[in-house]
Amino acid sequence: MDFKRIQWIFLLIFVAIDVFLGLQWYQGIQFDTVDTVGSTSVLKEMQGDDISFKRPSDKVGEGFYIAGQDGPEFVAHTTALRGVSTTYNSDTRMLNVQLSDKKRFKLNFDHPQRTLDHFIRLPQNVINGNEYVYSEELSRMTRHQVVYVQVVPAGKVYDSSGELHFNIDDGYVSGYTQTYISQPKILREKTPTISEEKALTWLYQYNQIPNNTTILWTKLAYTKLLDVNNTTVYVPTWFVGLRTNNNEEVHVKRINAFTGTIIKDTPQKVNIVNELQEKEVFK
Amino acid sequence: MRNRNSRFVKKFGIFSQYILPISLVLVISISLTFTWLIWTNPAHFNKNANQNTTSAGPTELSARALTDIYSPTQIIHTDSKQNQKLLFDQKINVINEVVKDVKNWHFNKLKPLKKVTAKLYAETLNQKDTLILNYPDSIAGGMINDIFTQHLTIDSNVQFNRIVIPLGSQLDKIYLLNDDNFAIYEISVSESSRTQIMHIIKSVKTVIPVVEQLYHQHVLLTYPEAVSLKQYSYLQNKQSQHLFLTALFNNGTNGDFKTRKTLETTTYEEGNNRRVVFDNKTGAVDYQSFNGTKTSANLNNTLRQGFNDLLSIGVPLDNTRYFETNDAENSFVYRTYVEGFPIFNQTRYGTVKLSYENPGTEHATFSQYALQVPLPNNQPGIKLEATPTVIQQLATVGIGIDRVEDMQIGYEWQTDPSSDMVVNLRPVWYLEINNKWQRLDQWLQKEG
């Protein structure tokens, strides 16, 4: 009889131990899957700060350093354009194109690319128009503009030096501004970039993402890193579009996808007087 | 009580007598299983270490992973006629693509081949229809699991510097080769497929004819024809002393370190444990720590420790690869690579040299200067002599091929004479003789 009671006590004690060990083990397993550089714990911390986002991918991407000229060379082709008046601003390196009244057309604002995709392809409408594609993210940032971005051999450029901005007046396309990167060239072999997950968590750790924010989109695209003499060097960059919950405005944060450093608004300008440049001059 | 019990027994028969003991045994065995599971799961031990790194903040962040640093540096395809070609393509990272594909395979078992002669070794290396992934020096076998995300049981004394993948129709084996002792390890694989790999090989734009050749006790990658390689220019970046100090002196928490400045050097000392010496002229940095973690004798662990130390120093690790170790395996050199070739002359050693020669000490030498961004350049390509020509030239000054430990095409780091912001990288032949890497012309001059 006593032995039976002891057995019962043992049974209860061991059930308790099992539950405890089971929980320990389960947490260990959970931790194991979390383990990758602790990003997941940072993501949890972000959720705790009321930052909402879709689960980011931890896949690494790939990209190049790209060099190109964003100078006025492409403007020489304005003669091919029909029914427009153009002005070129050499400071901003921007071509401003006004459509004649006859040429203006109505735009469905929900799906502007349906009409504009056809429009840009014709050489009498846009210079090198077939090198641009519609960007939903950038178009949503301003109300009266539709943005197309330039495609270089390795991806899209999200930079003011390779974009088409269509101006909309009363639902009609009245004209556009164009910037163009000519002769994009690959400078170095394909190199891995940081993952979307790293980009997000790092931005957060650099205090670039305020509390109570919604992350609307993330995108890996090229941005201007520096100007060397007359050439511009572009680098793969993670763009993160975010909106604080008490404000309608969308902000874009950028992080260099090779080095993981925050990209400031103005790119570095470097002037190197050396044989590189001389060679280019004499060529 | 007895009465009730006996009624109970009557109701369920003999069965009820055993319910209690059986469930007791069950519960005990479950608790034992959990205990075992918890003990064998490494996550429980790493838990604290990991929590530390996440709380350390952005300074600990790195864009590079262990597998980037310990990645193969060359890929060679041997075709059905036994012609070997070095594969390179600017637009596809060939090594990464192949590694990505092999990750989908399943590695079953690793076993060493017995009685490997130099002849058999050369045959395995040069067999037709294979891919060879090369490392500049031996690494620990355990790295295979990291690189290809596998779960092989690998003995800690296994080392290799080549991975040979036979692309025959069967594809059920791959080999790890070690030039140091002519060891071959066979890994049986399943769920393999070669379609994607063949596709990658076909799409590669630049192929350079090469031959893996056995000279005495060394296997050298030789170039039977002259090769023309591009020159590169990079913007160079000088990292501030402050940046390294915060990284090396525990984020400068106590901030009280002694500073000594002379014309040539600036020295910082934290107690008697850590010392950093900056060369004011060349930007060379010498860091010593006397209370480092004790490193184990196991190469696998030391390489991992090395990676962690690289991260904590704070040098940019873009395209940095493990390059070589010394015979005692307590000193490691890492170099930056450009287009598949190592850079020499950045410092006297390489990009970073880590030494753990005395137990509990860490000694790192590196440079404040690093490559930052490639610059467009229109300089013409440079033609490098074929290997036979190089060997002939060496013979004229009395250096026999048997004395050459290794030879590689490398890029020489030259600061631009007109602008200290620009580094020019010029391809030249580099040879290792008596554990010392020098340009071909330096060897020719010295001996001549």
Side-chain angles (χ1 to χ4, degrees):
Chain A
M1 180 53 219
D2 265 341
F3 181 62
K4 197 150 216 169
R5 179 169 288 172
I6 289 167
Q7 278 187 314
W8 270 110
I9 291 167
F10 264 74
L11 187 72
L12 287 177
I13 290 172
F14 269 97
V15 166
I17 290 176
D18 279 358
V19 170
F20 172 73
L21 288 177
L23 278 174
Q24 284 285 310
W25 171 76
Y26 180 70
Q27 276 174 359
I29 293 289
Q30 284 240 305
F31 192 80
D32 212 15
T33 54
V34 163
D35 193 36
T36 50
V37 213
S39 285
T40 315
S41 57
V42 180
L43 291 178
K44 271 199 190 126
E45 210 178 298
M46 288 170 70
Q47 275 166 342
D49 280 349
D50 288 321
I51 297 166
S52 56
F53 50 89
K54 271 193 252 151
R55 177 117 185 76
S57 151
D58 59 0
K59 273 223 168 80
V60 295
E62 283 177 319
F64 305 92
Y65 278 111
I66 289 195
Q69 265 102 32
D70 56 355
E73 292 82 7
F74 77 102
V75 180
H77 301 284
T78 39
T79 46
L81 300 176
R82 294 283 172 268
V84 300
S85 60
T86 61
T87 45
Y88 183 73
N89 182 334
S90 51
D91 285 337
T92 57
R93 298 171 179 187
M94 200 180 272
L95 180 71
N96 196 331
V97 180
Q98 284 300 319
L99 301 187
S100 61
D101 288 348
K102 251 196 254 163
K103 223 177 157 163
R104 297 187 181 198
F105 56 95
K106 206 170 164 66
L107 198 64
N108 172 356
F109 217 71
D110 292 327
H111 303 283
Q113 74 273 35
R114 285 186 191 162
T115 334
L116 286 174
D117 277 355
H118 292 292
F119 177 80
I120 62 165
R121 223 146 268 158
L122 296 175
Q124 67 261 38
N125 294 337
V126 180
I127 301 165
N128 302 326
N130 52 1
E131 292 178 34
Y132 294 84
V133 293
Y134 174 60
S135 161
E136 196 180 342
E137 292 90 5
L138 296 184
S139 300
R140 285 223 186 118
M141 301 225 355
T142 46
R143 215 162 265 173
H144 304 288
Q145 289 197 329
V146 176
V147 181
Y148 273 65
V149 295
Q150 194 181 340
V151 178
V152 291
K156 291 175 191 171
V157 175
Y158 270 42
D159 191 276
S160 56
S161 56
E163 284 178 349
L164 284 176
H165 283 248
F166 289 93
N167 303 318
I168 317 293
D169 281 343
D170 295 332
Y172 281 82
V173 177
S174 61
Y176 61 87
T177 56
Q178 180 176 19
T179 48
Y180 182 72
I181 305 160
S182 50
Q183 300 165 4
K185 257 194 321 204
I186 292 171
L187 284 180
R188 194 177 75 179
E189 81 265 32
K190 206 173 206 178
T191 311
T193 63
I194 60 173
S195 67
E196 183 186 8
E197 186 179 76
K198 270 193 184 172
L200 261 190
T201 51
W202 291 14
L203 273 175
Y204 172 73
Q205 290 179 313
Y206 286 128
N207 294 324
Q208 294 289 310
I209 305 179
N211 292 357
N212 201 10
T213 301
T214 310
I215 309 252
L216 302 170
W217 49 269
T218 54
K219 188 125 205 146
L220 185 62
Y222 285 87
T223 198
K224 197 186 263 190
L225 182 67
L226 74 158
D227 278 313
V228 192
N229 303 331
N230 289 317
T231 310
T232 308
V233 177
Y234 295 86
V235 67
T237 305
W238 278 104
F239 288 77
V240 176
L242 48 88
R243 194 181 60 205
T244 48
N245 290 346
N246 44 28
N247 196 334
E248 274 299 289
E249 217 178 316
V250 178
H251 292 277
V252 177
K253 299 286 179 185
R254 300 180 296 171
I255 182 164
N256 183 322
F258 280 152
T259 61
T261 48
I262 305 293
I263 293 182
K264 308 266 163 49
D265 285 335
T266 41
Q268 196 183 349
K269 222 178 180 99
V270 182
N271 264 308
I272 300 159
V273 190
N274 70 350
E275 47 183 330
L276 290 185
Q277 194 187 27
E278 283 155 23
K279 277 204 177 101
E280 264 167 321
V281 173
F282 288 124
K283 232 177 58 161
Chain B
M1 194 79 174
R2 168 154 305 193
N3 204 3
R4 199 153 39 120
N5 239 341
S6 60
R7 231 187 301 146
F8 190 70
V9 172
K10 228 178 256 166
K11 212 170 180 184
F12 295 95
I14 201 153
F15 189 57
S16 69
Q17 285 178 11
Y18 296 108
I19 284 189
L20 198 54
I22 285 175
S23 45
L24 198 55
V25 168
L26 205 73
V27 179
I28 291 173
S29 53
I30 288 175
S31 79
L32 285 177
T33 328
F34 273 133
T35 311
W36 184 75
L37 279 174
I38 290 170
W39 273 354
T40 51
N41 188 346
H44 286 90
F45 293 108
N46 295 336
K47 216 168 182 172
N48 286 325
N50 269 312
Q51 276 166 350
N52 281 341
T53 53
T54 48
S55 62
T59 45
E60 289 278 338
L61 300 177
S62 167
R64 300 291 152 230
L66 179 84
T67 48
D68 290 328
I69 304 299
Y70 298 109
S71 154
T73 56
Q74 288 172 332
I75 183 161
I76 293 163
H77 178 228
T78 315
D79 66 15
S80 53
K81 293 188 188 98
Q82 265 190 332
N83 294 321
Q84 293 185 318
K85 286 183 180 97
L86 188 68
L87 305 182
F88 177 75
D89 196 309
Q90 238 194 355
K91 290 196 178 170
I92 347 169
N93 193 325
V94 192
I95 294 170
N96 275 9
E97 292 298 319
V98 170
V99 168
K100 232 189 272 171
D101 193 51
V102 177
K103 273 183 186 171
N104 300 324
W105 302 3
H106 189 260
F107 292 10
N108 297 318
K109 203 171 175 252
L110 176 135
K111 66 164 195 221
L113 291 190
K114 296 210 172 77
K115 289 182 194 154
V116 180
T117 57
K119 192 166 162 262
L120 177 68
Y121 189 84
E123 276 171 13
T124 314
L125 185 58
N126 289 322
Q127 61 183 306
K128 57 188 183 185
D129 287 319
T130 53
L131 263 189
I132 310 171
L133 292 165
N134 277 345
Y135 283 89
D137 204 351
S138 306
I139 67 162
M143 288 287 169
I144 273 285
N145 286 334
D146 296 270
I147 294 153
F148 298 109
T149 52
Q150 301 288 334
H151 303 282
L152 276 178
T153 321
I154 298 168
D155 200 279
S156 63
N157 63 21
V158 174
Q159 293 184 10
F160 69 97
N161 68 320
R162 300 168 192 280
I163 306 164
V164 176
I165 308 172
L167 295 170
S169 48
Q170 277 200 342
L171 229 180
D172 52 357
K173 286 183 192 79
I174 67 171
Y175 300 96
L176 304 184
L177 275 66
N178 188 1
D179 286 0
D180 287 348
N181 54 3
F182 290 154
I184 302 181
Y185 303 92
E186 180 186 289
I187 301 176
S188 53
V189 299
S190 51
E191 293 160 47
S192 58
S193 147
R194 58 175 181 159
T195 12
Q196 184 59 28
I197 290 187
M198 293 314 262
H199 180 76
I200 299 166
I201 295 172
K202 261 185 212 131
S203 59
V204 170
K205 291 269 159 42
T206 319
V207 291
I208 304 171
V210 288
V211 182
E212 290 281 9
Q213 217 158 340
L214 184 69
Y215 288 101
H216 305 271
Q217 291 302 305
H218 305 289
V219 182
L220 299 179
L221 183 71
T222 61
Y223 297 73
E225 295 163 24
V227 217
S228 179
L229 290 172
K230 273 204 263 182
Q231 301 187 64
Y232 292 92
S233 295
Y234 272 76
L235 197 64
Q236 79 173 350
N237 173 28
K238 187 178 184 185
Q239 286 184 288
S240 69
Q241 299 189 351
H242 174 77
L243 200 108
F244 286 117
L245 281 182
T246 40
L248 292 170
F249 287 175
N250 279 349
N251 300 326
T253 33
N254 24 21
D256 52 334
F257 37 76
K258 272 185 264 165
T259 311
R260 209 169 352 120
K261 200 164 178 180
T262 66
L263 200 61
E264 290 88 30
T265 60
T266 313
T267 309
Y268 299 89
E269 272 175 43
E270 190 196 54
N272 292 322
N273 297 327
R274 294 200 176 90
R275 184 173 63 215
V276 195
V277 183
F278 292 92
D279 188 314
N280 296 332
K281 216 165 133 202
T282 63
V285 190
D286 189 293
Y287 167 70
Q288 274 177 296
S289 158
F290 304 105
N291 61 352
T293 38
K294 210 169 182 183
T295 46
S296 70
N298 170 336
L299 180 65
N300 195 11
N301 292 341
T302 324
L303 288 178
R304 280 161 214 272
Q305 177 66 39
F307 173 69
N308 289 335
D309 288 341
L310 282 184
L311 290 190
S312 58
I313 290 170
V315 282
L317 294 175
D318 261 18
N319 286 322
T320 304
R321 300 273 182 277
Y322 166 63
F323 186 74
E324 65 183 351
T325 176
N326 60 351
D327 290 335
E329 286 169 5
N330 55 18
S331 163
F332 303 89
V333 173
Y334 299 83
R335 285 186 194 278
T336 307
Y337 272 67
V338 171
E339 315 281 329
F341 296 102
I343 293 177
F344 290 84
N345 200 37
Q346 184 175 2
T347 67
R348 267 194 306 139
Y349 311 103
T351 306
V352 182
K353 183 181 181 185
L354 299 175
S355 305
Y356 308 99
E357 274 149 17
N358 303 310
T361 66
E362 179 198 340
H363 185 191
T365 40
F366 48 97
S367 170
Q368 281 180 275
Y369 291 101
L371 296 184
Q372 192 184 11
V373 178
L375 298 174
N377 108 7
N378 295 311
Q379 295 169 51
I382 286 187
K383 205 164 195 162
L384 293 174
E385 290 120 332
T387 312
T389 325
V390 174
I391 295 174
Q392 269 170 26
Q393 288 180 352
L394 286 172
T396 57
V397 293
I399 302 177
I401 185 68
D402 51 318
R403 279 179 60 199
V404 178
E405 285 145 25
D406 201 352
M407 57 192 291
Q408 290 212 12
I409 291 176
Y411 275 96
E412 186 186 21
W413 174 297
Q414 294 174 316
T415 310
D416 197 284
S418 51
S419 164
D420 60 356
M421 293 177 80
V422 177
V423 175
N424 294 324
L425 299 172
R426 192 171 63 97
V428 270
W429 269 111
Y430 272 91
L431 293 105
E432 187 187 26
I433 297 169
N434 298 333
N435 288 322
K436 199 169 159 198
W437 285 95
Q438 277 193 321
R439 289 198 313 265
L440 173 64
D441 58 287
Q442 288 171 317
W443 287 119
L444 293 179
Q445 236 170 37
K446 200 177 268 175
E447 305 277 332

